[in-house]
Amino acid sequence: QLLESGGGLVQPGGSLRLSCAASGSISSIFEMAWYRQSADKQRERVATLTNGPRTIYAHSVKDRFTISGDTDKGTIYLQMNTLIPEDTAVYFCYARTDYIPSEGYQEFWGQGTLVTVSF
């Protein structure tokens, strides 16, 4: 229900733009985010867009990555600049709905898109 695109191979110092679109069955989104996971690390949240809207970044990507989009439309993007080999990972799109006292909230994950930063 979340579909990512835009991954690939890029040289160090280069740029990539990831896209994520939520299916129409997901509504009342509170926040969307990008996570990443490499083979030797735990999954890390790198950037968040709330329905405020407000953006939040991990220290490791601040000033290099930019998240944008529209949670009402269920779409987010991640512009990644000045990429370094340590950015190599599978990047996952995430969405969380508003909390409803009688129901809680729902979480959704995309299947991931691989970003490889290498010569």
Side-chain angles (χ1 to χ4, degrees):
Q1 293 177 308
L2 293 176
L3 182 62
E4 305 107 331
S5 62
L9 173 65
V10 63
Q11 293 187 355
S15 299
L16 275 179
R17 186 175 187 248
L18 305 182
S19 300
C20 174
S23 68
S25 63
I26 302 176
S27 61
S28 300
I29 293 174
F30 169 71
E31 65 176 6
M32 296 183 74
W34 290 99
Y35 282 77
R36 68 184 180 186
Q37 185 166 23
S38 56
D40 58 348
K41 294 182 181 178
Q42 291 186 329
R43 189 170 292 192
E44 173 191 24
R45 180 183 283 216
V46 296
T48 304
L49 177 69
T50 73
N51 62 1
R54 181 184 174 202
T55 57
I56 305 167
Y57 297 94
H59 180 73
S60 58
V61 306
K62 192 172 176 59
D63 298 327
R64 298 189 299 120
F65 290 10
T66 301
I67 189 170
S68 62
D70 188 333
T71 56
D72 287 341
K73 297 180 180 178
T75 56
I76 57 169
Y77 309 94
L78 187 67
Q79 178 66 42
M80 304 184 292
N81 297 328
T82 319
L83 285 159
I84 59 178
E86 289 76 14
D87 295 319
T88 296
V90 178
Y91 284 71
F92 297 89
C93 181
Y94 165 87
R96 203 203 87 175
T97 62
D98 286 326
Y99 177 80
I100 300 174
S102 60
E103 301 178 11
Y105 60 84
Q106 291 181 292
E107 297 178 294
F108 301 89
W109 291 92
Q111 294 201 346
T113 184
L114 177 62
V115 171
T116 303
V117 184
S118 179
F119 287 107

